[in-house]
Amino acid sequence: MIRGPYIAVVGGGDDLPASTRRAAREVGRAIAEAGAVLVCGGLGGVMEAACRGAQEGGGLTVGILPGRDRAEANRYVDVAVPTGLGEVRNALVVRAADAVVALSGEYGTLSEIALALQAGIPVVGLDTWELGHGGRPVEAVVLAQSPAQAVELALGLAKRF
Amino acid sequence: MIRGPYIAVVGGGDDLPASTRRAAREVGRAIAEAGAVLVCGGLGGVMEAACRGAQEGGGLTVGILPGRDRAEANRYVDVAVPTGLGEVRNALVVRAADAVVALSGEYGTLSEIALALQAGIPVVGLDTWELGHGGRPVEAVVLAQSPAQAVELALGLAKRF
Amino acid sequence: MIRGPYIAVVGGGDDLPASTRRAAREVGRAIAEAGAVLVCGGLGGVMEAACRGAQEGGGLTVGILPGRDRAEANRYVDVAVPTGLGEVRNALVVRAADAVVALSGEYGTLSEIALALQAGIPVVGLDTWELGHGGRPVEAVVLAQSPAQAVELALGLAKRF
Amino acid sequence: MIRGPYIAVVGGGDDLPASTRRAAREVGRAIAEAGAVLVCGGLGGVMEAACRGAQEGGGLTVGILPGRDRAEANRYVDVAVPTGLGEVRNALVVRAADAVVALSGEYGTLSEIALALQAGIPVVGLDTWELGHGGRPVEAVVLAQSPAQAVELALGLAKRF
């Protein structure tokens, strides 16, 4: 088996600012350079940029797709797993991972953060959702200041997983 | 078929303050009195209190369970659907509903809020998760001030759904 | 909770001979008269006929739908659970049941028979798939000669479940 | 992306006769030598033998696991996707494939054959389940006489897929 850990990268699929795209690519590259497998939802935006970075870093990328058609995977996905489950597959992206890095993102990303936290899988965030309850912040996501640090934190937490 | 709408009630399962339990029961009762079907995850806490209220109001309650054993349903669930999917069933609770009322809650509740928003299903919140991005609040959840108002808002949004 | 057991009725959805439709309706009626809940895939053909029979018998019917739209349920479904999972929902129909009655059917029905057997849920068959291996029949499905007998066998096996 | 097609190998997990194990290994090797990706349920028996053969042939193997723990994958799985879905994952093994080769097998294998046929994915069988209805055989599975022929048939059907 390809030696782990498996790190999921979750984030927005569309209309990404160039800075987020760049960060996702750096995250992917750092995951690959650490010898980890990159798991994601297989589509565009953060997923595509992260896969691109991972391929540049010589790593392996896995895309767990919402639809039934393998062709919907971005071109940097090595292994595409079509599921036909729609957003139900969000939970499978998370379950396939030893740690999650969340970048920016919309509601789907928020669901992946929440599902990971529910399942006890550590989540590192880079410019992503902020959570609160009763007017106070809930600091369940480990905050990173850079792509390199995000991956370093995720690998450290995954190792303890 | 039992005339809808179907309203999902999501919220914490354990160690609930008495005030939250009371609010959940009132939400359940109001759903039943409006002739709507109550859908939930079928376990304890908010789910149990809401089902209890719905039964008191003469309504029907559906519990979509994470495990395989129907016996894990709380005793106010009328129709129990064991799934064996663990937290993957969160997405199914949401998909079964025309609108969602979220009360308080932990990460599972947060995932249900996010999955509903991703799927375009309206969410009404009562003392629940607060969301933000980039230091600014994201007001995707419609806030209610009382159980009665929460149900009224959910029914109104479900009707437009 | 509505007292069980829950009996799933699985079978073909289209172009049903009148005799199969009649048998499915009798199966549904017998399930209802025994006080059991009828679970099915919620669509037409055997599912619709069985739900119709169950309603005539004063019972409750649950339809676990492949699509996301509650409106695809047949009109004899009391509680409709849209899943959006396509044929992945076959496994959920089976998991929701204490025993399965299979009538006739296509590949979807065959998958439900197989998934039930894999999960240890008893299956009673009425003019349905025949299984073999190495040229010899595999008698895993309990054969019934009439709708009444099918339900009687299913209830007996469910009670031991 | 790794160029397809993706061929699923499904079959029994335990107490395999040596001849079946040998056939599965040959199937795996032939899949790899054709440049196809091998998908399976990731466990022992036919799955393990097929993965072993595929690795010997220089191919890539993907295991879609029923449990949540990547460690349950056999040691010839390159990319392990834990799902925690139990036998619900059978449908995902099939959906991930362009064609299915079934060897021998128990009820889980039968469900995978049926789910593939329902989804329109071609199935080639080698000493596997025989299907009938009304006393007549149903010849939905394309029969092969050897591992090499099974893979050749699967690739031909997958290409037309």
mmCIF file of all heavy atoms in Angstrom, chain A residues 1-2 6 60 62 64 68 70 73-75 77-85 92 95-98, chain D residues 1-2 6 60 62 64 68 70 73 75 77-85 92 95-98:
data_model
loop_
_atom_site.group_PDB
_atom_site.id
_atom_site.type_symbol
_atom_site.label_atom_id
_atom_site.label_comp_id
_atom_site.label_asym_id
_atom_site.label_seq_id
_atom_site.Cartn_x
_atom_site.Cartn_y
_atom_site.Cartn_z
ATOM 1 N N MET A 1 0.846 -1.205 0.000
ATOM 2 C CA MET A 1 0.000 0.000 0.000
ATOM 3 C C MET A 1 0.878 1.251 0.000
ATOM 4 O O MET A 1 1.978 1.242 0.525
ATOM 5 C CB MET A 1 -0.890 0.011 1.253
ATOM 6 C CG MET A 1 -2.071 0.950 1.092
ATOM 7 S SD MET A 1 -3.039 1.124 2.594
ATOM 8 C CE MET A 1 -3.163 -0.564 3.151
ATOM 9 N N ILE A 2 0.363 2.287 -0.615
ATOM 10 C CA ILE A 2 1.069 3.555 -0.591
ATOM 11 C C ILE A 2 1.040 4.065 0.836
ATOM 12 O O ILE A 2 -0.016 4.104 1.468
ATOM 13 C CB ILE A 2 0.400 4.541 -1.559
ATOM 14 C CG1 ILE A 2 0.597 4.024 -2.976
ATOM 15 C CG2 ILE A 2 0.956 5.935 -1.379
ATOM 16 C CD1 ILE A 2 -0.212 4.746 -4.006
ATOM 17 N N TYR A 6 -3.008 10.039 4.643
ATOM 18 C CA TYR A 6 -3.857 10.636 3.612
ATOM 19 C C TYR A 6 -4.357 11.981 4.153
ATOM 20 O O TYR A 6 -4.960 12.032 5.225
ATOM 21 C CB TYR A 6 -5.067 9.744 3.324
ATOM 22 C CG TYR A 6 -4.786 8.503 2.497
ATOM 23 C CD1 TYR A 6 -3.737 7.631 2.802
ATOM 24 C CD2 TYR A 6 -5.596 8.166 1.416
ATOM 25 C CE1 TYR A 6 -3.498 6.480 2.050
ATOM 26 C CE2 TYR A 6 -5.366 7.012 0.662
ATOM 27 C CZ TYR A 6 -4.315 6.176 0.983
ATOM 28 O OH TYR A 6 -4.094 5.037 0.243
ATOM 29 N N LEU A 60 0.615 11.549 -5.165
ATOM 30 C CA LEU A 60 -0.554 10.874 -5.715
ATOM 31 C C LEU A 60 -1.812 11.596 -5.252
ATOM 32 O O LEU A 60 -1.930 11.979 -4.087
ATOM 33 C CB LEU A 60 -0.604 9.423 -5.227
ATOM 34 C CG LEU A 60 -1.718 8.598 -5.888
ATOM 35 C CD1 LEU A 60 -1.228 8.022 -7.216
ATOM 36 C CD2 LEU A 60 -2.183 7.483 -4.972
ATOM 37 N N VAL A 62 -6.145 11.640 -5.136
ATOM 38 C CA VAL A 62 -7.370 10.842 -5.204
ATOM 39 C C VAL A 62 -8.557 11.803 -5.181
ATOM 40 O O VAL A 62 -8.634 12.673 -4.315
ATOM 41 C CB VAL A 62 -7.466 9.878 -3.998
ATOM 42 C CG1 VAL A 62 -8.749 9.054 -4.064
ATOM 43 C CG2 VAL A 62 -6.241 8.971 -3.936
ATOM 44 N N ILE A 64 -12.667 11.982 -4.950
ATOM 45 C CA ILE A 64 -13.917 11.273 -4.659
ATOM 46 C C ILE A 64 -15.046 12.177 -5.149
ATOM 47 O O ILE A 64 -15.400 13.168 -4.510
ATOM 48 C CB ILE A 64 -14.018 10.949 -3.156
ATOM 49 C CG1 ILE A 64 -12.824 10.053 -2.764
ATOM 50 C CG2 ILE A 64 -15.351 10.265 -2.835
ATOM 51 C CD1 ILE A 64 -12.775 9.673 -1.299
ATOM 52 N N ARG A 68 -21.483 10.538 -11.187
ATOM 53 C CA ARG A 68 -21.204 9.169 -11.605
ATOM 54 C C ARG A 68 -20.158 9.104 -12.703
ATOM 55 O O ARG A 68 -19.765 8.014 -13.130
ATOM 56 C CB ARG A 68 -22.482 8.526 -12.179
ATOM 57 C CG ARG A 68 -23.497 8.118 -11.157
ATOM 58 C CD ARG A 68 -24.770 7.677 -11.870
ATOM 59 N NE ARG A 68 -25.807 7.310 -10.938
ATOM 60 C CZ ARG A 68 -26.161 6.046 -10.667
ATOM 61 N NH1 ARG A 68 -25.568 5.051 -11.270
ATOM 62 N NH2 ARG A 68 -27.107 5.794 -9.800
ATOM 63 N N ARG A 70 -16.579 9.701 -14.342
ATOM 64 C CA ARG A 70 -15.171 9.935 -14.017
ATOM 65 C C ARG A 70 -14.624 11.171 -14.720
ATOM 66 O O ARG A 70 -13.695 11.826 -14.248
ATOM 67 C CB ARG A 70 -14.344 8.692 -14.389
ATOM 68 C CG ARG A 70 -12.937 8.748 -13.830
ATOM 69 C CD ARG A 70 -12.186 7.446 -14.056
ATOM 70 N NE ARG A 70 -12.839 6.375 -13.354
ATOM 71 C CZ ARG A 70 -13.402 5.323 -13.962
ATOM 72 N NH1 ARG A 70 -13.341 5.197 -15.258
ATOM 73 N NH2 ARG A 70 -13.997 4.407 -13.242
ATOM 74 N N ALA A 73 -13.770 14.682 -13.117
ATOM 75 C CA ALA A 73 -12.570 14.943 -12.304
ATOM 76 C C ALA A 73 -11.686 15.977 -12.987
ATOM 77 O O ALA A 73 -11.592 16.028 -14.206
ATOM 78 C CB ALA A 73 -11.784 13.648 -12.100
ATOM 79 N N ASN A 74 -11.020 16.801 -12.179
ATOM 80 C CA ASN A 74 -10.057 17.725 -12.772
ATOM 81 C C ASN A 74 -8.856 16.917 -13.289
ATOM 82 O O ASN A 74 -8.630 15.778 -12.883
ATOM 83 C CB ASN A 74 -9.648 18.809 -11.764
ATOM 84 C CG ASN A 74 -8.740 18.296 -10.663
ATOM 85 O OD1 ASN A 74 -7.614 17.870 -10.917
ATOM 86 N ND2 ASN A 74 -9.235 18.336 -9.420
ATOM 87 N N ARG A 75 -8.073 17.526 -14.156
ATOM 88 C CA ARG A 75 -7.068 16.724 -14.870
ATOM 89 C C ARG A 75 -5.845 16.388 -14.026
ATOM 90 O O ARG A 75 -4.945 15.696 -14.493
ATOM 91 C CB ARG A 75 -6.664 17.420 -16.166
ATOM 92 C CG ARG A 75 -6.087 18.800 -15.957
ATOM 93 C CD ARG A 75 -5.879 19.451 -17.327
ATOM 94 N NE ARG A 75 -5.499 20.839 -17.202
ATOM 95 C CZ ARG A 75 -4.482 21.385 -17.859
ATOM 96 N NH1 ARG A 75 -3.767 20.657 -18.690
ATOM 97 N NH2 ARG A 75 -4.193 22.651 -17.698
ATOM 98 N N VAL A 77 -6.228 14.869 -11.087
ATOM 99 C CA VAL A 77 -6.615 13.728 -10.242
ATOM 100 C C VAL A 77 -6.011 12.461 -10.839
ATOM 101 O O VAL A 77 -6.208 12.168 -12.012
ATOM 102 C CB VAL A 77 -8.154 13.597 -10.172
ATOM 103 C CG1 VAL A 77 -8.560 12.263 -9.542
ATOM 104 C CG2 VAL A 77 -8.766 14.757 -9.401
ATOM 105 N N ASP A 78 -5.275 11.708 -10.025
ATOM 106 C CA ASP A 78 -4.711 10.442 -10.514
ATOM 107 C C ASP A 78 -5.744 9.329 -10.457
ATOM 108 O O ASP A 78 -5.927 8.593 -11.415
ATOM 109 C CB ASP A 78 -3.506 10.033 -9.646
ATOM 110 C CG ASP A 78 -2.325 10.949 -9.860
ATOM 111 O OD1 ASP A 78 -2.008 11.245 -11.026
ATOM 112 O OD2 ASP A 78 -1.720 11.380 -8.861
ATOM 113 N N VAL A 79 -6.379 9.177 -9.311
ATOM 114 C CA VAL A 79 -7.353 8.111 -9.116
ATOM 115 C C VAL A 79 -8.708 8.758 -8.848
ATOM 116 O O VAL A 79 -8.893 9.433 -7.834
ATOM 117 C CB VAL A 79 -6.955 7.209 -7.926
ATOM 118 C CG1 VAL A 79 -8.023 6.151 -7.674
ATOM 119 C CG2 VAL A 79 -5.598 6.560 -8.183
ATOM 120 N N ALA A 80 -9.629 8.556 -9.767
ATOM 121 C CA ALA A 80 -10.945 9.187 -9.665
ATOM 122 C C ALA A 80 -11.976 8.142 -9.251
ATOM 123 O O ALA A 80 -12.086 7.096 -9.880
ATOM 124 C CB ALA A 80 -11.336 9.803 -11.004
ATOM 125 N N VAL A 81 -12.712 8.440 -8.199
ATOM 126 C CA VAL A 81 -13.735 7.532 -7.697
ATOM 127 C C VAL A 81 -15.090 8.215 -7.834
ATOM 128 O O VAL A 81 -15.499 8.991 -6.963
ATOM 129 C CB VAL A 81 -13.465 7.161 -6.218
ATOM 130 C CG1 VAL A 81 -14.525 6.187 -5.704
ATOM 131 C CG2 VAL A 81 -12.071 6.567 -6.050
ATOM 132 N N PRO A 82 -15.807 7.953 -8.935
ATOM 133 C CA PRO A 82 -17.150 8.526 -9.061
ATOM 134 C C PRO A 82 -18.096 7.837 -8.077
ATOM 135 O O PRO A 82 -18.035 6.620 -7.907
ATOM 136 C CB PRO A 82 -17.550 8.212 -10.507
ATOM 137 C CG PRO A 82 -16.621 7.155 -10.987
ATOM 138 C CD PRO A 82 -15.428 7.119 -10.097
ATOM 139 N N THR A 83 -18.951 8.611 -7.410
ATOM 140 C CA THR A 83 -19.838 8.018 -6.395
ATOM 141 C C THR A 83 -21.321 8.179 -6.716
ATOM 142 O O THR A 83 -22.135 7.384 -6.253
ATOM 143 C CB THR A 83 -19.620 8.642 -5.001
ATOM 144 O OG1 THR A 83 -20.064 10.013 -5.036
ATOM 145 C CG2 THR A 83 -18.164 8.572 -4.576
ATOM 146 N N GLY A 84 -21.697 9.238 -7.429
ATOM 147 C CA GLY A 84 -23.115 9.482 -7.666
ATOM 148 C C GLY A 84 -23.892 9.848 -6.421
ATOM 149 O O GLY A 84 -25.113 9.780 -6.410
ATOM 150 N N LEU A 85 -23.208 10.250 -5.371
ATOM 151 C CA LEU A 85 -23.882 10.522 -4.089
ATOM 152 C C LEU A 85 -24.156 12.000 -3.857
ATOM 153 O O LEU A 85 -24.701 12.368 -2.824
ATOM 154 C CB LEU A 85 -23.038 9.989 -2.923
ATOM 155 C CG LEU A 85 -22.754 8.486 -2.923
ATOM 156 C CD1 LEU A 85 -21.856 8.126 -1.740
ATOM 157 C CD2 LEU A 85 -24.055 7.693 -2.855
ATOM 158 N N LEU A 92 -17.527 11.135 2.764
ATOM 159 C CA LEU A 92 -16.559 10.108 2.351
ATOM 160 C C LEU A 92 -15.182 10.701 2.095
ATOM 161 O O LEU A 92 -14.164 10.058 2.351
ATOM 162 C CB LEU A 92 -17.069 9.367 1.111
ATOM 163 C CG LEU A 92 -18.366 8.603 1.320
ATOM 164 C CD1 LEU A 92 -18.715 7.814 0.059
ATOM 165 C CD2 LEU A 92 -18.294 7.667 2.520
ATOM 166 N N ARG A 95 -13.833 10.892 5.580
ATOM 167 C CA ARG A 95 -13.542 9.584 6.170
ATOM 168 C C ARG A 95 -12.310 8.936 5.557
ATOM 169 O O ARG A 95 -11.698 8.057 6.152
ATOM 170 C CB ARG A 95 -14.723 8.630 5.961
ATOM 171 C CG ARG A 95 -15.856 8.874 6.916
ATOM 172 C CD ARG A 95 -16.903 7.785 6.776
ATOM 173 N NE ARG A 95 -17.951 7.975 7.770
ATOM 174 C CZ ARG A 95 -19.014 7.199 7.880
ATOM 175 N NH1 ARG A 95 -19.167 6.181 7.049
ATOM 176 N NH2 ARG A 95 -19.908 7.419 8.810
ATOM 177 N N ALA A 96 -11.997 9.337 4.324
ATOM 178 C CA ALA A 96 -10.828 8.759 3.658
ATOM 179 C C ALA A 96 -9.530 9.385 4.146
ATOM 180 O O ALA A 96 -8.451 8.943 3.750
ATOM 181 C CB ALA A 96 -10.954 8.925 2.145
ATOM 182 N N ALA A 97 -9.618 10.399 5.011
ATOM 183 C CA ALA A 97 -8.439 11.176 5.385
ATOM 184 C C ALA A 97 -8.040 10.989 6.845
ATOM 185 O O ALA A 97 -8.872 10.714 7.699
ATOM 186 C CB ALA A 97 -8.706 12.661 5.130
ATOM 187 N N ASP A 98 -6.742 11.184 7.094
ATOM 188 C CA ASP A 98 -6.226 11.163 8.462
ATOM 189 C C ASP A 98 -6.203 12.565 9.067
ATOM 190 O O ASP A 98 -6.106 12.724 10.285
ATOM 191 C CB ASP A 98 -4.820 10.575 8.471
ATOM 192 C CG ASP A 98 -4.817 9.160 7.936
ATOM 193 O OD1 ASP A 98 -5.633 8.352 8.392
ATOM 194 O OD2 ASP A 98 -4.007 8.866 7.036
ATOM 195 N N MET D 1 -4.573 12.372 -15.127
ATOM 196 C CA MET D 1 -5.264 11.234 -14.522
ATOM 197 C C MET D 1 -4.702 9.929 -15.077
ATOM 198 O O MET D 1 -4.249 9.877 -16.210
ATOM 199 C CB MET D 1 -6.769 11.302 -14.840
ATOM 200 C CG MET D 1 -7.591 10.436 -13.892
ATOM 201 S SD MET D 1 -9.335 10.345 -14.353
ATOM 202 C CE MET D 1 -9.680 12.074 -14.700
ATOM 203 N N ILE D 2 -4.740 8.911 -14.253
ATOM 204 C CA ILE D 2 -4.324 7.599 -14.722
ATOM 205 C C ILE D 2 -5.344 7.139 -15.742
ATOM 206 O O ILE D 2 -6.545 7.157 -15.488
ATOM 207 C CB ILE D 2 -4.216 6.627 -13.534
ATOM 208 C CG1 ILE D 2 -3.072 7.082 -12.635
ATOM 209 C CG2 ILE D 2 -4.023 5.202 -14.022
ATOM 210 C CD1 ILE D 2 -3.003 6.371 -11.323
ATOM 211 N N TYR D 6 -11.284 1.507 -15.638
ATOM 212 C CA TYR D 6 -11.239 0.934 -14.295
ATOM 213 C C TYR D 6 -12.059 -0.356 -14.331
ATOM 214 O O TYR D 6 -13.235 -0.330 -14.703
ATOM 215 C CB TYR D 6 -11.863 1.887 -13.281
ATOM 216 C CG TYR D 6 -11.019 3.094 -12.903
ATOM 217 C CD1 TYR D 6 -10.398 3.892 -13.871
ATOM 218 C CD2 TYR D 6 -10.856 3.458 -11.565
ATOM 219 C CE1 TYR D 6 -9.643 5.008 -13.510
ATOM 220 C CE2 TYR D 6 -10.098 4.573 -11.206
ATOM 221 C CZ TYR D 6 -9.497 5.335 -12.180
ATOM 222 O OH TYR D 6 -8.762 6.443 -11.830
ATOM 223 N N LEU D 60 -2.060 -0.479 -10.861
ATOM 224 C CA LEU D 60 -2.498 0.258 -9.683
ATOM 225 C C LEU D 60 -3.778 -0.386 -9.162
ATOM 226 O O LEU D 60 -4.684 -0.709 -9.927
ATOM 227 C CB LEU D 60 -2.779 1.717 -10.040
ATOM 228 C CG LEU D 60 -3.099 2.594 -8.829
ATOM 229 C CD1 LEU D 60 -1.813 3.113 -8.192
ATOM 230 C CD2 LEU D 60 -3.997 3.752 -9.208
ATOM 231 N N VAL D 62 -7.024 -0.132 -6.298
ATOM 232 C CA VAL D 62 -7.826 0.739 -5.430
ATOM 233 C C VAL D 62 -8.769 -0.145 -4.615
ATOM 234 O O VAL D 62 -9.466 -0.995 -5.183
ATOM 235 C CB VAL D 62 -8.659 1.728 -6.275
ATOM 236 C CG1 VAL D 62 -9.508 2.628 -5.384
ATOM 237 C CG2 VAL D 62 -7.753 2.557 -7.179
ATOM 238 N N ILE D 64 -11.953 -0.057 -1.997
ATOM 239 C CA ILE D 64 -13.015 0.736 -1.370
ATOM 240 C C ILE D 64 -13.566 -0.106 -0.223
ATOM 241 O O ILE D 64 -14.316 -1.059 -0.427
ATOM 242 C CB ILE D 64 -14.085 1.103 -2.415
ATOM 243 C CG1 ILE D 64 -13.435 1.926 -3.541
ATOM 244 C CG2 ILE D 64 -15.231 1.875 -1.766
ATOM 245 C CD1 ILE D 64 -14.369 2.340 -4.653
ATOM 246 N N ARG D 68 -14.070 1.797 8.542
ATOM 247 C CA ARG D 68 -13.480 3.130 8.624
ATOM 248 C C ARG D 68 -11.959 3.108 8.717
ATOM 249 O O ARG D 68 -11.325 4.164 8.737
ATOM 250 C CB ARG D 68 -13.988 3.841 9.890
ATOM 251 C CG ARG D 68 -15.411 4.323 9.813
ATOM 252 C CD ARG D 68 -15.816 4.842 11.182
ATOM 253 N NE ARG D 68 -17.186 5.294 11.197
ATOM 254 C CZ ARG D 68 -17.554 6.580 11.204
ATOM 255 N NH1 ARG D 68 -16.652 7.530 11.214
ATOM 256 N NH2 ARG D 68 -18.821 6.909 11.222
ATOM 257 N N ARG D 70 -8.282 2.224 7.494
ATOM 258 C CA ARG D 70 -7.492 1.905 6.299
ATOM 259 C C ARG D 70 -6.688 0.619 6.479
ATOM 260 O O ARG D 70 -6.374 -0.072 5.513
ATOM 261 C CB ARG D 70 -6.557 3.074 5.980
ATOM 262 C CG ARG D 70 -5.922 2.969 4.605
ATOM 263 C CD ARG D 70 -5.137 4.201 4.236
ATOM 264 N NE ARG D 70 -6.024 5.336 4.155
ATOM 265 C CZ ARG D 70 -5.948 6.400 4.925
ATOM 266 N NH1 ARG D 70 -5.003 6.498 5.843
ATOM 267 N NH2 ARG D 70 -6.816 7.364 4.783
ATOM 268 N N ALA D 73 -7.377 -2.889 4.812
ATOM 269 C CA ALA D 73 -7.077 -3.198 3.409
ATOM 270 C C ALA D 73 -6.033 -4.312 3.328
ATOM 271 O O ALA D 73 -5.135 -4.399 4.171
ATOM 272 C CB ALA D 73 -6.554 -1.954 2.696
ATOM 273 N N ARG D 75 -2.685 -6.121 1.779
ATOM 274 C CA ARG D 75 -1.422 -5.401 1.592
ATOM 275 C C ARG D 75 -1.075 -5.129 0.139
ATOM 276 O O ARG D 75 -0.062 -4.496 -0.139
ATOM 277 C CB ARG D 75 -0.283 -6.136 2.288
ATOM 278 C CG ARG D 75 -0.081 -7.551 1.784
ATOM 279 C CD ARG D 75 0.937 -8.274 2.672
ATOM 280 N NE ARG D 75 1.037 -9.668 2.361
ATOM 281 C CZ ARG D 75 2.198 -10.294 2.165
ATOM 282 N NH1 ARG D 75 3.331 -9.639 2.286
ATOM 283 N NH2 ARG D 75 2.223 -11.575 1.872
ATOM 284 N N VAL D 77 -3.270 -3.504 -1.798
ATOM 285 C CA VAL D 77 -4.052 -2.319 -2.168
ATOM 286 C C VAL D 77 -3.122 -1.109 -2.175
ATOM 287 O O VAL D 77 -2.454 -0.835 -1.189
ATOM 288 C CB VAL D 77 -5.216 -2.089 -1.181
ATOM 289 C CG1 VAL D 77 -5.853 -0.723 -1.404
ATOM 290 C CG2 VAL D 77 -6.261 -3.191 -1.312
ATOM 291 N N ASP D 78 -3.095 -0.389 -3.303
ATOM 292 C CA ASP D 78 -2.266 0.819 -3.359
ATOM 293 C C ASP D 78 -2.982 2.002 -2.717
ATOM 294 O O ASP D 78 -2.426 2.719 -1.907
ATOM 295 C CB ASP D 78 -1.953 1.172 -4.823
ATOM 296 C CG ASP D 78 -0.988 0.182 -5.446
ATOM 297 O OD1 ASP D 78 0.005 -0.169 -4.800
ATOM 298 O OD2 ASP D 78 -1.265 -0.255 -6.584
ATOM 299 N N VAL D 79 -4.217 2.219 -3.134
ATOM 300 C CA VAL D 79 -4.997 3.356 -2.638
ATOM 301 C C VAL D 79 -6.211 2.805 -1.899
ATOM 302 O O VAL D 79 -7.078 2.163 -2.499
ATOM 303 C CB VAL D 79 -5.455 4.251 -3.809
ATOM 304 C CG1 VAL D 79 -6.342 5.374 -3.303
ATOM 305 C CG2 VAL D 79 -4.247 4.805 -4.551
ATOM 306 N N ALA D 80 -6.240 3.042 -0.597
ATOM 307 C CA ALA D 80 -7.318 2.498 0.232
ATOM 308 C C ALA D 80 -8.280 3.614 0.610
ATOM 309 O O ALA D 80 -7.864 4.647 1.119
ATOM 310 C CB ALA D 80 -6.736 1.869 1.492
ATOM 311 N N VAL D 81 -9.548 3.391 0.336
ATOM 312 C CA VAL D 81 -10.580 4.379 0.641
ATOM 313 C C VAL D 81 -11.529 3.787 1.683
ATOM 314 O O VAL D 81 -12.465 3.065 1.348
ATOM 315 C CB VAL D 81 -11.365 4.768 -0.628
ATOM 316 C CG1 VAL D 81 -12.428 5.812 -0.314
ATOM 317 C CG2 VAL D 81 -10.426 5.283 -1.716
ATOM 318 N N PRO D 82 -11.295 4.059 2.961
ATOM 319 C CA PRO D 82 -12.228 3.571 3.983
ATOM 320 C C PRO D 82 -13.537 4.345 3.892
ATOM 321 O O PRO D 82 -13.524 5.560 3.688
ATOM 322 C CB PRO D 82 -11.510 3.867 5.304
ATOM 323 C CG PRO D 82 -10.439 4.849 4.993
ATOM 324 C CD PRO D 82 -10.172 4.823 3.520
ATOM 325 N N THR D 83 -14.662 3.637 3.996
ATOM 326 C CA THR D 83 -15.952 4.321 3.847
ATOM 327 C C THR D 83 -16.830 4.247 5.097
ATOM 328 O O THR D 83 -17.689 5.102 5.284
ATOM 329 C CB THR D 83 -16.787 3.718 2.689
ATOM 330 O OG1 THR D 83 -17.173 2.377 3.051
ATOM 331 C CG2 THR D 83 -16.013 3.698 1.383
ATOM 332 N N GLY D 84 -16.681 3.190 5.900
ATOM 333 C CA GLY D 84 -17.572 3.036 7.050
ATOM 334 C C GLY D 84 -19.016 2.758 6.670
ATOM 335 O O GLY D 84 -19.909 2.899 7.491
ATOM 336 N N LEU D 85 -19.256 2.330 5.442
ATOM 337 C CA LEU D 85 -20.632 2.140 4.968
ATOM 338 C C LEU D 85 -21.083 0.679 5.010
ATOM 339 O O LEU D 85 -22.215 0.377 4.632
ATOM 340 C CB LEU D 85 -20.777 2.653 3.530
ATOM 341 C CG LEU D 85 -20.476 4.127 3.298
ATOM 342 C CD1 LEU D 85 -20.618 4.449 1.817
ATOM 343 C CD2 LEU D 85 -21.416 5.013 4.112
ATOM 344 N N LEU D 92 -20.678 1.299 -4.364
ATOM 345 C CA LEU D 92 -19.632 2.253 -4.747
ATOM 346 C C LEU D 92 -18.492 1.566 -5.484
ATOM 347 O O LEU D 92 -17.882 2.148 -6.380
ATOM 348 C CB LEU D 92 -19.112 2.994 -3.518
ATOM 349 C CG LEU D 92 -20.162 3.837 -2.794
ATOM 350 C CD1 LEU D 92 -19.507 4.615 -1.658
ATOM 351 C CD2 LEU D 92 -20.859 4.793 -3.751
ATOM 352 N N ARG D 95 -19.895 1.378 -8.939
ATOM 353 C CA ARG D 95 -19.990 2.685 -9.602
ATOM 354 C C ARG D 95 -18.630 3.221 -10.011
ATOM 355 O O ARG D 95 -18.537 4.070 -10.902
ATOM 356 C CB ARG D 95 -20.650 3.706 -8.671
ATOM 357 C CG ARG D 95 -22.150 3.550 -8.607
ATOM 358 C CD ARG D 95 -22.759 4.700 -7.830
ATOM 359 N NE ARG D 95 -24.212 4.604 -7.843
ATOM 360 C CZ ARG D 95 -25.017 5.437 -7.217
ATOM 361 N NH1 ARG D 95 -24.509 6.444 -6.512
ATOM 362 N NH2 ARG D 95 -26.310 5.294 -7.281
ATOM 363 N N ALA D 96 -17.583 2.772 -9.321
ATOM 364 C CA ALA D 96 -16.246 3.261 -9.642
ATOM 365 C C ALA D 96 -15.670 2.571 -10.865
ATOM 366 O O ALA D 96 -14.589 2.927 -11.326
ATOM 367 C CB ALA D 96 -15.318 3.071 -8.444
ATOM 368 N N ALA D 97 -16.378 1.580 -11.409
ATOM 369 C CA ALA D 97 -15.819 0.734 -12.467
ATOM 370 C C ALA D 97 -16.506 0.938 -13.807
ATOM 371 O O ALA D 97 -17.682 1.286 -13.881
ATOM 372 C CB ALA D 97 -15.935 -0.730 -12.058
ATOM 373 N N ASP D 98 -15.742 0.662 -14.882
ATOM 374 C CA ASP D 98 -16.298 0.687 -16.238
ATOM 375 C C ASP D 98 -16.781 -0.697 -16.661
ATOM 376 O O ASP D 98 -17.541 -0.831 -17.624
ATOM 377 C CB ASP D 98 -15.233 1.180 -17.213
ATOM 378 C CG ASP D 98 -14.777 2.584 -16.864
ATOM 379 O OD1 ASP D 98 -15.653 3.445 -16.674
ATOM 380 O OD2 ASP D 98 -13.567 2.810 -16.740
#
